[in-house]
Every structure is written in structure tokens, then in C-alpha cells.
Amino acid sequence: MKPGSIKNWLRGGLLTLAALQTVVSVWQYVFPLSFYDDFPTVKLDPPYNEHLISDVGGLGLALTGMLYFAAWVLDSKVVLSALIGYLIYAATHFAFHVRHFDHFSLLEAFGVGTGLGIEVALALVLLYVGWRVHRAESAAVQALRP
């Protein structure tokens, strides 16, 4: 794969993560009660807390901003920092849910586990690609130095 096409693929992946995070975060922040009442499986969690859900939505929006900015500038250090932050969030979110399927049907557990697992897997793949791009760019800069 050519370096330009790798960066295009990386940008596409970053934009995909950012778009998914945008939908959920805006919903959490702007309509926290609707998110609690209407998002599949959330009502299976502990009682509604508007402050907690809107704070999580605000944090998700911050992460969304980082992902969009990383996709825009495609600076490898910015990309890596945005993806590390996203991966930490996605992995801890996934870990919580796979330990709390007590009141879920098999279909709900499968849907939540699969959806959150895909986010973690995509973030890991993008982190790997971003790291490879960073190493290639660093090597190119080193080669130009006298």
C-alpha cells in the first residue's frame, strides 16, 4: 500500500470512530433522559442520573473533537494521542459491559458485546496503522538529516 493510501485509510477510520462517537455523545449530552430511556440496553443499567449521563456525553464530545481534529491534520502524534485516548475509553467501556450482562437477553448481550468489541478492534487496527505511519515519517526525517 502506498503511504498516501494508508493515510487515506487512517483518515477514514478516524472519521468513522468520530462519527459513531458524535451520535452517542450528542444524544447523551443534549437529550440525557432520552438516551437513558431509548438507547437499547441502557435501561438495564442502574437508575437514571442526568448529571452522570450528560457529563459522560460531554467527555465523549471532547473525544469526538480529538478524533475529528486528528483526521483533519493527520499529524502522526495527534493521531496516536487521539487513538490512545479513544482506545482507553472503548476498552474500559467494553470491559464494563461484558461483565454486566446479568439482565440482558442473549441477543442484547451479543449486540452490545459485538458493537463495543468492533470499536475496540477498529481502534487497535488504527493505532497500529498510525504507529506504522509515525515510524515511517520519523525514518524519513532521520534520513534527511546530515
Side-chain angles (χ1 to χ4, degrees), residues 5-92:
S5 64
I6 291 172
K7 281 195 164 190
N8 286 338
W9 190 88
L10 185 59
R11 177 177 278 129
L14 287 163
L15 289 171
T16 298
L17 289 178
L20 292 170
Q21 191 64 45
T22 298
V23 170
V24 173
S25 298
V26 167
W27 192 357
Q28 288 170 325
Y29 189 74
V30 179
F31 305 108
L33 184 57
S34 169
F35 182 82
Y36 181 81
D37 287 340
D38 302 324
F39 193 88
T41 72
V42 170
K43 62 185 169 223
L44 300 172
D45 289 334
Y48 172 70
N49 180 321
E50 179 181 2
H51 179 213
L52 178 61
I53 289 186
S54 54
D55 279 357
V56 168
L59 290 169
L61 289 171
L63 190 53
T64 296
M66 292 173 56
L67 290 166
Y68 279 121
F69 183 71
W72 181 41
V73 299
L74 275 185
D75 175 275
S76 62
K77 291 178 184 175
V78 174
V79 167
L80 291 174
S81 63
L83 285 170
I84 288 168
Y86 183 84
L87 181 59
I88 291 167
Y89 164 74
T92 57

